[in-house]
Amino acid sequence: MSAASDISEKPKRGFRPELKTVGPLLALLLLVLLGISLNENFMSYSNLTNVLARSSFIGIIAIGATFVITAGGIDLSVGSMAAVIAGLMIMVMNWLIPTMGIGWGVVLAGMLAGILLGGVAGTFNGLMITRGRIEAFIVTLGTMGIFRSLVTFLANGGTLSLNFDVADVYRPVYYDGLLGVPYPIIVFALVAIGGEILMRRTAFGRHCAAIGSNEQVARYSSINVDNVRMLTYILQGVLVGVAVLLYVPRLGSASSTTGVLWELEAIAGVIIGGTTLKGGYGRIWGTVVGVVILGLIGNILNLQSLISPYLNGAFQGVIIILAVLLQRSKRT
Amino acid sequence: MIIAEGTSAPAILSANRISKSFGEIPVLFSIDFDIRPGEVHAIIGENGAGKSTLIKILSGIEQPTSGSIGFDGQTVVLPPNGAAESMGIVLIHQEQNLAEHLTVAESIFLGRELKKFGFLDVGEMRKRARAVMETLHVRVDPDARINTLSVADKQMVEIAKAISRDARVLIMDEPTAVLSVGETDTLFEQIRRLTARGVAVIFISHKLDEIMELADRVTVLRDGQWIATVGTEALTPDSIAQMMVGRELSNLYPPKHEPDVDAPVVLGVRNLVATGVKDISFDLRKGEILGFAGLIGSGRTAVAEAIVGLSHRDSGEITLDGKPVNFTRVAQSVDAGLAYMTKDRKGKGLLLNMGLRPNLTLLTLKRHLKAGFLDTASESRALERAVRRFDIRARDATVAVGRLSGGNQQKLMLGKTMESEPDIIIMDEPTRGIDVGTKQQIYHIIAALAAEGKSIIVISSEMQEVIGLAHRVVVMREGRLAGLLEGAEITEAEIMRYAAGIKQSGHDERSV
């Protein structure tokens, strides 16, 4: 997919890759080499699937964020949104048990509820931003607080737990897989492929880039700017829902600490992947690489003993700043 | 006109044989200019005549390529970046340069705040600001925020700022362009007070009646050349207009085909009222090129944007092929075969960071969908066609459009507009800021489109362009149709008379 799209953006003749494209891949390669040299278990099947499965939640959310950011917006509420959706999903499933009994019916209803709730939350953000004409940063800063507080309220300051029997039914969605590949990774891959197609091969993706590049040009080119913007936030919400329905079976609970700082990790993944924060240029494939890089940093720190794993955040921060510095030096 | 005292005094500021080139392109040729204390000296000329460049040189913002500047009888090199303000030469820009969130007093003392013990002396600044405003007889609270003031009051704050810096030469670039009649009167009163105190005022305006009222002398520029400097008492608005124009039409323009007087009306506009448009009616016939002339800000772009649905229409009727239409989105007008090409190609026309192809097809992306997905091959074919048809030259199709020359950007934007295969095209300043060769190409394209039966509105501030292309010319002034010219009436002097408000025709008697 990415190979096909490269032709549209770069000269056809000769192989002249840009730093912006190759940079994140090189960083990923270096990290992998570093991981191999530090610990022989790094390349083990169980370690890699573990890292990727954990990265899937952030990754799926970050793909939504790529659209939002490409269209010149930002969504800070995704972490809190994930928490409140997780909480509500659990409540819905527990509430349905008396009527539906324990089984896949309840779980599917819960999944559907999660996706719908995501769509509703995204629609609310989008409406405030496009119809209410409030800055995306402010709207989503507000909903970030609202969602976080809501989940704390719903859990009464504690933890919302899924009925133990239902959790048992639901568990395989996180822990099992197809041909040895965990489901979260499969869903992440499918979302990434779908996102890449949406970004490169549909009018919607082109319109996102146009709006983020110059909203006036988009308006003068007969693009319905408000609708496209709106759709990016709805898509973001739905993808948060998808991430949550993979996350809930992992622990079977939600609390006020669920999804804390996910928004920053998602945005960081997008930026490391080469999407410009001010919009106009988005790379789904880059986002995938960016998210995996962030996941690997944490993993490598845990696998070695020289540096404290508590410095994880510091390393991620350095990578983000480096990524943006490299992008800038490329442009001038 | 009473000649202000001191007009025979020696010049305070003078330009001696000033020439200026930007790169290879000369814009001023050996200009002589001087201003005496207590005098109002107006500079007039068409757009592109070199007025702005001249005042930039007189205020030190630009350095002349050759020639010298005299100040107080001595040859000087004016310091750049507005530092000439310390010498008493203050330029008030066309776009006002006030920070919207500061107070009046803060604005007046911006950059040279009064201090006491290292802290801002707010009381003293407020007191002095009030004193300055009082000498100007302006009732503005020194504590008022700039963004709460009217445009006219803002201008007064700029003048107060200039006076508080002991301005000796005040240069004003079209100060009345954004003012109402009443506000203009107040401004002129202030200017007269300043000149009575010996301040010299250089004044650029397009409005000839204002110049007749205010100026002591007038310097006329044309194509970067000095044409004349005359005392206002010896002038009539007509003779000024004559001096500003008076050029031969070159063969830059293709021959005009005879307009068909029986051709059906394709676009009818009746009593249109919108933001910046007070009341205008006109018709566009099939195969016609209708020119829109007028001063900057006279409402020509506003008319176009109201028609295609880019801005809100308050009242009035628009018909397409006789059927009333009401576009609220650009997409609707594009679908109906009516396309508008903006004058702001960098801000509203093209995505500068993207390649040629996404730019070309942005307006018509849904024509390049196959089963809901973008068909890039179809887009590429469209680009090949456009490159051939409009002679767009780029190193390759992936180069960012922002790197193309202005002419190629303009041709790409024309290609983008024509991709929607419109029957009616409104082109806003289709040749702004591009070289003469490309201009000629675009003129021939426009003429060819009209010959094919397309109907075209050309909005242009270059009168030559309107005259060279249009079958009929609508002259706008202050949001209204000031005159409609046809055939031999289409001359620069006549357009200027209507545009400057010397002549006015009833807007409905000839609008057919």
Side-chain angles (χ1 to χ4, degrees):
Chain A
M1 207 53 236
S2 82
S5 69
D6 280 349
I7 295 166
S8 70
E9 296 300 319
K10 286 168 202 73
K12 285 174 188 171
R13 53 183 158 63
F15 184 67
R16 195 167 52 84
E18 287 180 76
L19 187 63
K20 205 160 38 175
T21 323
V22 179
L25 272 174
L26 272 179
L28 182 63
L29 191 71
L30 284 176
L31 270 180
V32 170
L33 290 177
L34 187 69
I36 293 170
S37 67
L38 282 175
N39 193 313
E40 61 212 29
N41 282 333
F42 176 78
M43 277 308 272
S44 72
Y45 171 79
S46 64
N47 184 54
L48 284 185
T49 50
N50 187 27
V51 171
L52 285 175
R54 280 158 174 265
S55 296
S56 301
F57 315 127
I58 298 292
I60 291 166
I61 293 172
I63 284 164
T66 309
F67 285 93
V68 171
I69 290 172
T70 300
I74 190 93
D75 191 342
L76 299 173
S77 71
V78 290
S80 309
M81 193 193 286
V84 79
I85 292 173
L88 285 169
M89 249 179 91
I90 288 168
M91 289 174 76
V92 165
M93 284 189 282
N94 286 345
W95 179 71
L96 282 175
I97 292 170
T99 39
M100 296 178 73
I102 289 160
W104 277 104
V106 170
V107 170
L108 287 175
M111 288 175 157
L112 190 68
I115 290 176
L116 280 178
L117 285 167
V120 169
T123 307
F124 181 78
N125 278 339
L127 278 177
M128 288 293 120
I129 290 159
T130 58
R131 305 288 187 266
R133 307 253 158 240
I134 309 170
E135 294 244 13
F137 188 94
I138 292 165
V139 169
T140 58
L141 190 64
T143 50
M144 174 171 139
I146 294 169
F147 294 150
R148 180 62 63 196
S149 160
L150 265 181
V151 72
T152 315
F153 166 75
L154 291 174
N156 212 0
T159 304
L160 284 162
S161 294
L162 185 57
N163 173 289
F164 192 75
D165 296 321
V166 176
D168 245 11
V169 178
Y170 201 169
R171 273 176 65 86
V173 171
Y174 179 77
Y175 290 100
D176 277 6
L178 208 63
L179 303 171
V181 183
Y183 287 122
I185 299 178
I186 294 174
V187 175
F188 181 24
L190 289 177
V191 169
I193 290 166
E196 177 72 20
I197 292 172
L198 197 59
M199 184 69 94
R200 297 272 168 246
R201 285 285 175 269
T202 67
F204 172 71
R206 187 75 64 79
H207 287 172
C208 284
I211 291 169
S213 171
N214 187 331
E215 190 179 329
Q216 285 286 11
V217 173
R219 201 167 76 87
Y220 276 72
S221 303
S222 82
I223 294 170
N224 193 331
V225 174
D226 280 352
N227 280 4
V228 174
R229 274 244 158 89
M230 182 84 201
L231 280 174
T232 62
Y233 289 99
I234 296 176
L235 179 67
Q236 172 74 85
V238 167
L239 287 178
V240 170
V242 171
V244 168
L245 63 87
L246 295 167
Y247 174 81
V248 166
R250 183 171 163 225
L251 297 175
S253 67
S255 72
S256 59
T257 56
T258 302
V260 167
L261 290 184
W262 279 11
E263 62 282 338
L264 291 189
E265 281 197 50
I267 293 168
V270 173
I271 300 307
I272 292 170
T275 298
T276 29
L277 186 58
K278 65 178 169 49
Y281 179 73
R283 295 182 61 232
I284 297 291
W285 228 229
T287 297
V288 173
V289 173
V291 169
V292 173
I293 287 177
L294 287 177
L296 283 183
I297 292 174
N299 182 244
I300 290 173
L301 285 174
N302 280 327
L303 288 177
Q304 53 80 53
S305 49
L306 288 173
I307 303 168
S308 162
Y310 294 135
L311 283 172
N312 184 8
F315 278 92
Q316 292 188 344
V318 168
I319 296 278
I320 295 163
I321 294 169
L322 267 182
V324 175
L325 264 179
L326 286 173
Q327 281 178 33
R328 168 134 20 102
S329 62
K330 194 252 146 202
R331 204 167 301 130
T332 46
Chain B
M1 186 77 222
I2 302 150
I3 309 286
E5 52 186 352
T7 39
S8 55
I12 174 168
L13 181 66
S14 63
N16 309 308
R17 295 194 309 282
I18 288 287
S19 296
K20 176 72 181 170
S21 308
F22 289 111
E24 300 274 291
I25 306 151
V27 286
L28 286 181
F29 302 89
S30 195
I31 304 284
D32 282 316
F33 181 86
D34 64 8
I35 177 124
R36 304 166 190 144
E39 181 190 36
V40 177
H41 193 154
I43 304 175
I44 59 170
E46 286 185 89
N47 298 316
K51 306 179 299 269
S52 294
T53 311
L54 178 59
I55 59 167
K56 278 181 189 156
I57 288 171
L58 288 171
S59 56
I61 293 174
E62 299 276 1
Q63 295 299 326
T65 312
S66 67
S68 64
I69 299 287
F71 184 68
D72 267 346
Q74 307 207 308
T75 300
V76 293
V77 173
L78 294 176
N81 302 327
E85 286 194 1
S86 60
M87 301 165 66
I89 302 172
V90 178
L91 171 64
I92 297 181
H93 290 271
Q94 211 164 349
E95 312 86 33
Q96 296 177 342
N97 278 333
L98 292 172
E100 291 281 313
H101 295 285
L102 296 186
T103 67
V104 169
E106 284 166 347
S107 303
I108 288 173
F109 289 98
L110 188 63
R112 45 181 197 115
E113 287 79 3
L114 304 178
K115 287 179 194 139
K116 202 154 74 180
F117 311 124
F119 295 102
L120 291 179
D121 190 350
V122 178
E124 181 66 18
M125 284 195 280
R126 190 180 294 140
K127 211 171 86 193
R128 289 211 204 164
R130 182 167 288 130
V132 174
M133 299 311 270
E134 266 163 25
T135 62
L136 287 171
H137 299 262
V138 183
R139 273 192 207 89
V140 174
D141 181 5
D143 288 326
R145 303 255 164 219
I146 296 296
N147 56 13
T148 63
L149 301 184
S150 69
V151 177
D153 281 342
K154 286 183 193 174
Q155 204 132 36
M156 292 306 161
V157 173
E158 292 251 36
I159 293 171
K161 200 171 157 184
I163 291 172
S164 74
R165 282 164 205 225
D166 296 320
R168 298 175 62 197
V169 181
L170 192 59
I171 306 175
M172 307 178 93
D173 191 355
E174 291 208 61
T176 61
V178 287
L179 299 186
S180 69
V181 175
E183 291 168 339
T184 302
D185 287 344
T186 320
L187 175 70
F188 284 7
E189 218 172 283
Q190 304 297 356
I191 292 177
R192 290 199 190 94
R193 274 206 194 96
L194 292 175
T195 51
R197 291 170 42 185
V199 177
V201 177
I202 300 173
F203 183 86
I204 290 185
S205 175
H206 279 291
K207 300 179 182 168
L208 301 185
D209 47 343
E210 290 178 357
I211 286 163
M212 297 300 293
E213 185 189 336
L214 189 68
D216 301 305
R217 287 191 296 162
V218 176
T219 288
V220 183
L221 300 182
R222 190 202 303 155
D223 293 337
Q225 313 259 11
W226 175 88
I227 301 300
T229 298
V230 206
T232 315
E233 68 282 354
L235 284 173
T236 62
D238 266 343
S239 62
I240 299 180
Q242 282 293 333
M243 274 191 274
M244 284 169 68
V245 298
R247 224 177 342 182
E248 295 284 318
L249 272 183
S250 64
N251 55 3
L252 198 56
Y253 302 94
K256 286 185 199 178
H257 69 90
E258 280 301 305
D260 181 358
V261 285
D262 298 326
V265 170
V266 289
L267 174 69
V269 174
R270 288 286 163 277
N271 304 105
L272 176 67
V273 180
T275 316
V277 184
K278 288 186 185 136
D279 179 4
I280 192 164
S281 304
F282 64 90
D283 284 331
L284 175 69
R285 296 201 197 99
K286 187 171 165 57
E288 179 181 41
I289 301 175
L290 181 63
F292 262 65
L295 303 177
I296 289 163
S298 57
R300 295 165 298 167
T301 299
V303 168
E305 297 199 344
I307 291 174
V308 299
L310 275 163
S311 67
H312 177 73
R313 174 150 57 98
D314 296 324
S315 68
E317 190 179 84
I318 294 165
T319 55
L320 222 55
D321 294 324
K323 287 185 278 294
V325 288
N326 182 16
F327 302 130
T328 52
R329 302 196 159 281
V330 195
Q332 295 167 338
S333 75
V334 170
D335 288 343
L338 168 58
Y340 167 64
M341 187 171 86
T342 174
K343 63 183 167 190
D344 184 1
R345 63 175 172 257
K346 291 189 174 166
K348 293 169 180 165
L350 297 172
L351 299 169
L352 300 180
N353 63 335
M354 293 199 190
L356 270 66
R357 196 177 59 190
N359 268 292
L360 182 79
T361 56
L362 193 61
L363 183 64
T364 48
L365 212 49
K366 59 183 171 191
R367 292 172 191 230
H368 301 286
L369 295 181
K370 206 150 90 184
F373 294 103
L374 287 179
D375 182 358
T376 41
S378 150
E379 284 187 87
S380 296
R381 285 194 297 275
L383 181 61
E384 273 167 38
R385 281 196 304 273
V387 162
R388 241 181 291 124
R389 181 173 177 195
F390 299 107
D391 187 35
I392 303 165
R393 289 177 204 170
R395 188 164 45 79
D396 61 59
T398 61
V399 65
V401 160
R403 294 202 182 164
L404 298 183
S405 71
N408 280 311
Q409 287 179 358
Q410 191 69 32
K411 287 192 274 188
L412 178 64
M413 199 164 74
L414 187 58
K416 170 185 169 181
T417 310
M418 296 311 297
E419 272 293 295
S420 68
E421 296 173 352
D423 299 315
I424 304 168
I425 311 124
I426 305 177
M427 299 183 186
D428 202 348
E429 306 283 2
T431 66
R432 174 186 272 188
I434 63 179
D435 63 284
V436 132
T438 312
K439 272 188 182 182
Q440 191 167 22
Q441 279 184 313
I442 288 179
Y443 295 148
H444 281 79
I445 292 169
I446 293 174
L449 288 172
E452 279 172 30
K454 309 274 189 204
S455 314
I456 300 161
I457 290 176
V458 175
I459 300 173
S460 178
S461 293
E462 282 187 46
M463 273 192 269
Q464 293 293 337
E465 193 166 285
V466 173
I467 294 165
L469 284 172
H471 299 121
R472 294 186 304 154
V473 176
V474 169
V475 186
M476 283 193 70
R477 177 179 153 77
E478 291 172 1
R480 293 174 200 279
L481 186 141
L484 183 73
L485 308 177
E486 254 176 287
E489 296 170 324
I490 306 176
T491 64
E492 285 197 59
E494 193 71 3
I495 292 174
M496 186 58 93
R497 284 187 196 104
Y498 283 111
I502 300 160
K503 229 171 144 179
Q504 179 96 35
S505 74
H507 61 270
D508 26 30
E509 58 184 65
R510 316 179 48 184
S511 62
V512 180

